[in-house]
Amino acid sequence: MSENRSSYPAQPLDVALTVLGREHLQVVVDLDRRIDRDQAERAVAGTVAAFPLLGCRYEPGAWRDRWVPDPAMSAADAVQQLDPAPNPEVATREWLAREIDERAGWPWRVAVLPWGRGCRLLVSVLHVAADGAGTLAAVRELARLLVGGEAVERPYPVERNVGILFRRLGATGLVRLGAGLVREAIRPLELPFLARTATARPPPAGPATWRTVRIDVGEGSPLRKLCRARNATVNDLLVAALAVLVRRISVRGRIGCFFTADLRRRLADEQPRIANLSAVISVALPRAHAASLPDALVEVTRLTARRDPGVSGLAALLLNLPLILCLPHRLVRRLTRLVFGVWIRRLLTRGLLVTNIGPLDACLAPFGNLVRDATFVGPSVRGLPIPVLTATGFGDNLTIHFTGYAETAAGLERLAAELESIFAEAGGSA
């Protein structure tokens, strides 16, 4: 795709995400310095220059949806300087609860909330434009410009289609992909045997909210030692904790866990991209292996070690693409509504889903030691029977948010408290 195109075709995942509601991916950063409005506007304008899609609005079409530049909107419209608040947490939740309309302007916003001698930087990006890694790419560019970096001379790569994920696959990768396609095609057959975690009825409407669990996974912490003893990653630890939680909130059946994988490891270059290049991977383990976090960690590590996340994610993604790549986008939207109403809801009554965004340290590196704390909130998906978990790290902490719309505060509190106790029993409560 030429970088000089006036508009960009929407990708199938973009089209699907428009059906699921306005899912927001939000980065919250506490800084030991103030940011004035002029600084914020210059940085936003520079970020749009680096990632032109962020200066577009979404335009549905009968045959193909497109991202169309929106010159009627400016960086000044995308920046909000909030008034100091007596309770910054309340002000933060109020700001994060408002919606962005992807058809009425740019798909992202930046707010600055003064707080003490510093401020809280709030960056919101619609999931229809970018996944977690894409959001972090935008935040890193914004941070670089806020500390005085020069704007890029030409945009970063604008290719967003999934075809770019296959360029490094090679013959061996194609064989692994074929095997992965077979595994993913038969995976739905195990659905009736998975433990039930919710009913398939759409929950009633309600405001977006979240509850938080924060644990210490730094060097020398009990949980890091547990991972090292089991030759496991922090992502394995997260999925294993999810497995134990599913066991505790269900009655019987195999334990199903779903987690996202960033497919950018398959790209031929390491350039940042604003795109949706992620897929959902599932693991299922015997109920007896999820009695405790150490036990579950052994089994999850064994299962994930047998799989290449990049290839497994491609296989999961590829199964859903051939048909919708050829169909008119108006029909894709209708099919997505049907699939979401039947298949996705049913799937997510049989486990829990975690989106592991990963550490924020790299994307916030331009700020140096100005960062006091940071986290990533969302997405909250309307109509799901269960909350979505979002995990991210900063410094020595792993932060997990239970996000949802219609879940009652008591329900989210119960799940968060249960997960916290799972980590505490393994010696890692922070």
Side-chain angles (χ1 to χ4, degrees), residues 17 21-26 125-127 130-132 208-209 260 353-357 376-382 384 386-391 401-405:
L17 285 165
R22 294 192 174 106
E23 303 174 40
H24 297 74
L25 307 179
Q26 323 220 46
V125 181
L126 278 173
H127 200 345
D131 54 13
T209 187
T260 57
L353 169 66
V354 62
T355 295
N356 188 3
I357 306 298
F376 192 114
V377 180
S380 299
V381 184
R382 292 190 188 276
L384 283 187
I386 61 169
V388 174
L389 283 72
T390 303
H401 298 295
F402 288 79
T403 62
Y405 278 95

Side-chain angles (χ1 to χ4, degrees), residues 145-157:
L145 294 168
L146 282 171
V147 295
E150 295 292 328
V152 296
E153 293 184 1
R154 45 184 316 215
Y156 293 118

Side-chain angles (χ1 to χ4, degrees), residues 191 194-204 249-251 340-352 381-387 406-407 414-415:
L191 187 62
L194 296 180
R196 188 181 294 277
T197 54
T199 64
R201 293 191 306 272
I249 65 175
S250 62
V251 177
F340 180 67
V342 178
W343 169 243
I344 296 179
R345 280 201 192 100
R346 185 162 297 176
L347 180 69
L348 291 178
T349 64
R350 300 289 183 164
L352 290 174
V381 184
R382 292 190 188 276
L384 283 187
I386 61 169
E407 283 283 333
R414 179 178 62 86
L415 289 173

Side-chain angles (χ1 to χ4, degrees), residues 61-121:
W63 172 242
R64 285 291 181 263
D65 296 358
R66 299 193 71 81
W67 288 98
V68 180
D70 187 357
M73 185 169 176
S74 68
D77 301 314
V79 172
Q80 181 71 41
Q81 190 83 27
L82 303 178
D83 294 328
N87 189 329
E89 297 302 330
V90 172
T92 296
R93 285 180 178 266
E94 289 176 352
W95 172 259
L96 298 187
R98 92 275 170 274
E99 288 193 343
I100 300 172
D101 185 352
E102 74 279 4
R103 302 184 186 188
W106 296 358
W108 72 308
R109 300 290 187 274
V110 173
V112 179
L113 174 64
W115 188 355
R117 294 177 303 174
C119 69
R120 173 167 282 181
L121 180 67

Side-chain angles (χ1 to χ4, degrees), residues 6 14 56 88 103 128 158 174 193 281 310 335 355 390 404 429:
S6 59
D14 302 352
C56 296
R103 302 184 186 188
V128 67
V158 295
L174 285 172
F193 305 101
I281 298 177
L335 285 175
T355 295
T390 303
S429 179

Side-chain angles (χ1 to χ4, degrees), residues 12 36 43 46 53 120 196 214 247 297 338 388-389:
D36 63 38
L53 187 97
R120 173 167 282 181
R196 188 181 294 277
R214 178 169 284 199
R247 187 181 192 272
L297 187 58
L338 176 64
V388 174
L389 283 72

Side-chain angles (χ1 to χ4, degrees), residues 156-157 168 264-265 267-273:
Y156 293 118
R168 290 178 53 193
R264 284 167 173 77
R265 69 186 66 195
L267 293 176
D269 62 66
E270 296 182 358
Q271 293 294 305
R273 278 181 170 82

